[in-house]
Amino acid sequence: MASSLALTGCSTLDSIEQYRVPDAQADTTHNSAEQRASYADSLELLADIDVKGRAPKTGYEREKFSKGWKDPDRNGCDARNDILARDLEHVKYKSASKPCVVLSGTFHDPYTNTTINFVRGQKTSTAVQIDHVVALSDAWQKGAQRWDQEARFEFANDPLNLMASDGPTNAAKGDKDAATWLPPNKSFRCEYVSRQTQVKAKYGAWMTKGEHDAIERILKACV
């Protein structure tokens, strides 16, 4: 429920580095102790997430979460550029005096374990997209239609729920949950479902049984 959410407001992007993803090339059999502890924490969170059927998608519109990318932390940069700056390497900005709009950078995509040379432009920007780890439509069908506007806005712009990704792979994911879609890069699946669990626990969204069971199976193998 929206009333029970502990919203962090404009502070979420202040700690954006906290949600930088680990090296996507690391094999899951060599997870660090810190990673294994994080996945164990997510397993505990998973146990408290409600399991229900998917509600109808009736009434869903992206604009009910956020009309485009916003700037919740008021640093002068919208959430898309904040995430690009966080997830890309060798970043170049439109203005050197105001590092905000990302013009180019090197992106090591955790979903596919490939490298993309990102260049901002009408025909090239979509090569790297910003994925909602828990899709907005999925959240809508699992509790978000009951949230107030503030909660949905927070959810749509929360760096915990945002990750740069390969454009075509993001499109293929759509609004699927972990029962029907996982990153092609198997070495990233622990981090992916752990992040989904953290997001749903934070906002009180529920899971379907298939989704819950898929995440539980993966996380148990990760610790």
Side-chain angles (χ1 to χ4, degrees):
M1 290 292 193
S3 60
S4 66
L5 294 179
L7 297 178
T8 54
C10 295
S11 65
T12 52
L13 292 180
D14 294 339
S15 57
I16 196 166
E17 287 296 319
Q18 177 182 353
Y19 305 120
R20 183 181 294 276
V21 300
D23 183 0
Q25 298 183 26
D27 190 279
T28 56
T29 58
H30 297 94
N31 285 335
S32 68
E34 182 179 359
Q35 286 174 316
R36 290 196 298 272
S38 176
Y39 302 148
D41 289 343
S42 292
L43 259 177
E44 292 185 8
L45 292 174
L46 182 68
D48 292 329
I49 293 177
D50 289 341
V51 176
K52 304 180 184 180
R54 184 187 297 267
K57 193 175 177 179
T58 305
Y60 168 74
E61 296 175 4
R62 192 196 188 287
E63 290 71 22
K64 290 183 178 179
F65 287 82
S66 181
K67 295 181 180 179
W69 295 110
K70 302 301 181 183
D71 178 22
D73 63 348
R74 299 186 178 90
N75 68 345
C77 307
D78 62 33
R80 172 179 166 80
N81 280 293
D82 277 328
I83 299 303
L84 287 174
R86 182 195 70 183
D87 291 354
L88 273 61
E89 297 178 352
H90 312 299
V91 173
K92 293 184 179 179
Y93 297 96
K94 184 176 182 179
S95 171
S97 61
K98 184 181 179 182
C100 179
V101 178
V102 174
L103 288 183
S104 65
T106 303
F107 177 51
H108 303 291
D109 176 45
Y111 286 176
T112 61
N113 198 19
T114 58
T115 298
I116 301 170
N117 293 316
F118 171 77
V119 178
R120 181 184 178 90
Q122 186 174 359
K123 296 182 179 180
T124 56
S125 288
T126 56
V128 176
Q129 299 179 10
I130 306 301
D131 179 38
H132 286 94
V133 179
V134 175
L136 303 185
S137 173
D138 180 69
W140 179 264
Q141 297 170 79
K142 297 172 184 175
Q145 57 186 274
R146 302 177 182 177
W147 303 347
D148 60 25
Q149 184 60 46
E150 180 184 3
R152 289 197 291 264
F153 177 87
E154 172 83 2
F155 181 88
N157 293 278
D158 189 340
L160 177 64
N161 193 35
L162 298 176
M163 188 182 300
S165 69
D166 168 70
T169 304
N170 183 43
K173 171 188 170 180
D175 65 355
K176 299 179 181 72
D177 60 28
T180 53
W181 190 90
L182 291 167
N185 177 22
K186 293 182 180 180
S187 69
F188 190 68
R189 290 180 178 179
C190 293
E191 176 67 20
Y192 179 75
V193 299
S194 177
R195 183 80 72 93
Q196 284 196 325
T197 302
Q198 292 168 24
V199 171
K200 290 208 166 183
K202 178 178 180 179
Y203 288 91
W206 68 76
M207 295 182 179
T208 63
K209 187 178 187 305
E211 174 187 8
H212 177 278
D213 290 352
I215 290 176
E216 183 179 47
R217 182 173 60 253
I218 293 169
L219 286 176
K220 283 183 175 179
C222 298
V223 298

